[in-house]
Amino acid sequence: MEKGTLYIVSTPIGNLEDITFRAIRVLKEVNLIAAEDTRHATILLHKYEIRTPCVSYHSYSNDSKIQSIIEKINEGQSVALISDAGTPGISDPAYTLIQAALAAEITITPIPGPSALLTALVASGLPMHHFRYYGFLPLKKGRQTLLTGWRTAAASGDLDETIIFYESPHRIARTLEDLVKHLDPAVSSTDATSNWTVVLARELTKIHEEFMRGTLKELIQAFKTKPPRGEFVVLLSYKP
Ligand code: SAM
């Protein structure tokens, strides 16, 4: 029996109009949609009148869910993989299903579309020829080592890439404090000029989309008067 295909379908990161014609066609034509969260997926599927059956996958707790999706593809069904936002696998649990499909020699077809990191980068004004994406920063172990590593690289002239990572609203203020402490120790307690430029891209593609640009200290100050809301992409660039 011929196997089905696993389509990796990118979906909007906020604005529901950010989806391709091809993505909608594939979501309508496949036998099954494997979604990170079926309740979340319903909003998109309802808007585009997509009536394909939808199941959830979950990479951490339930390997049998992934195996049952793989079996269905092995039996000839085609499955579209979607995550809560953007490109599946970029800092979300879709990676496990993609790995399992590759191990089972299933054909994978990506359907490109939005991702928060590129959406933020192209409008940030920071250098975009070279960039490095870190996903979510480690919360404890490895966090300080990573940040001091960026400082060392910058000081020795080895950091010509824009740094990009994701952050949630309840952690962003603390992360900016950590950045100023580890990247800019000399300016954190003085008025010395910083070589680091930061851009915070907030609520991308949504009504309250905002790009906040400045030094670490300026952005920390901004959050003292206006508490952060929405999801963030953080971009950092060092100019010697
Ligand atoms: N797969 C997604 C992608 O392709 O960008 C990323 C999923 S990750 C679980 C979610 C994080 O992406 C959020 O915490 C935030 O940092 C970033 N993000 C997603 N949507 C965003 C948006 N509309 N505006 C700003 N950041 C966003």
Side-chain angles (χ1 to χ4, degrees), residues 13 85-87 90-92 115-116 136 166-167 203-204 231-233:
I13 57 169
T87 300
I90 303 297
S91 300
D92 63 38
S115 188
F136 289 96
Y166 286 166
E167 193 51 282
E203 299 268 75
L204 288 165
E231 302 294 322
F232 286 87
V233 181

Side-chain angles (χ1 to χ4, degrees), residues 164-177:
I164 309 174
F165 62 90
Y166 286 166
E167 193 51 282
S168 66
H170 62 278
R171 290 212 195 92
I172 187 79
R174 147 100 208 274
T175 294
L176 292 177
E177 299 277 1

Side-chain angles (χ1 to χ4, degrees), residues 20-42:
T20 67
F21 293 120
R22 187 177 175 215
I24 294 171
R25 180 180 57 74
V26 167
L27 289 171
K28 285 185 173 171
E29 285 178 3
V30 289
N31 303 96
L32 187 70
I33 295 170
E36 184 178 348
D37 178 341
T38 50
R39 275 172 309 173
H40 189 97
T42 304

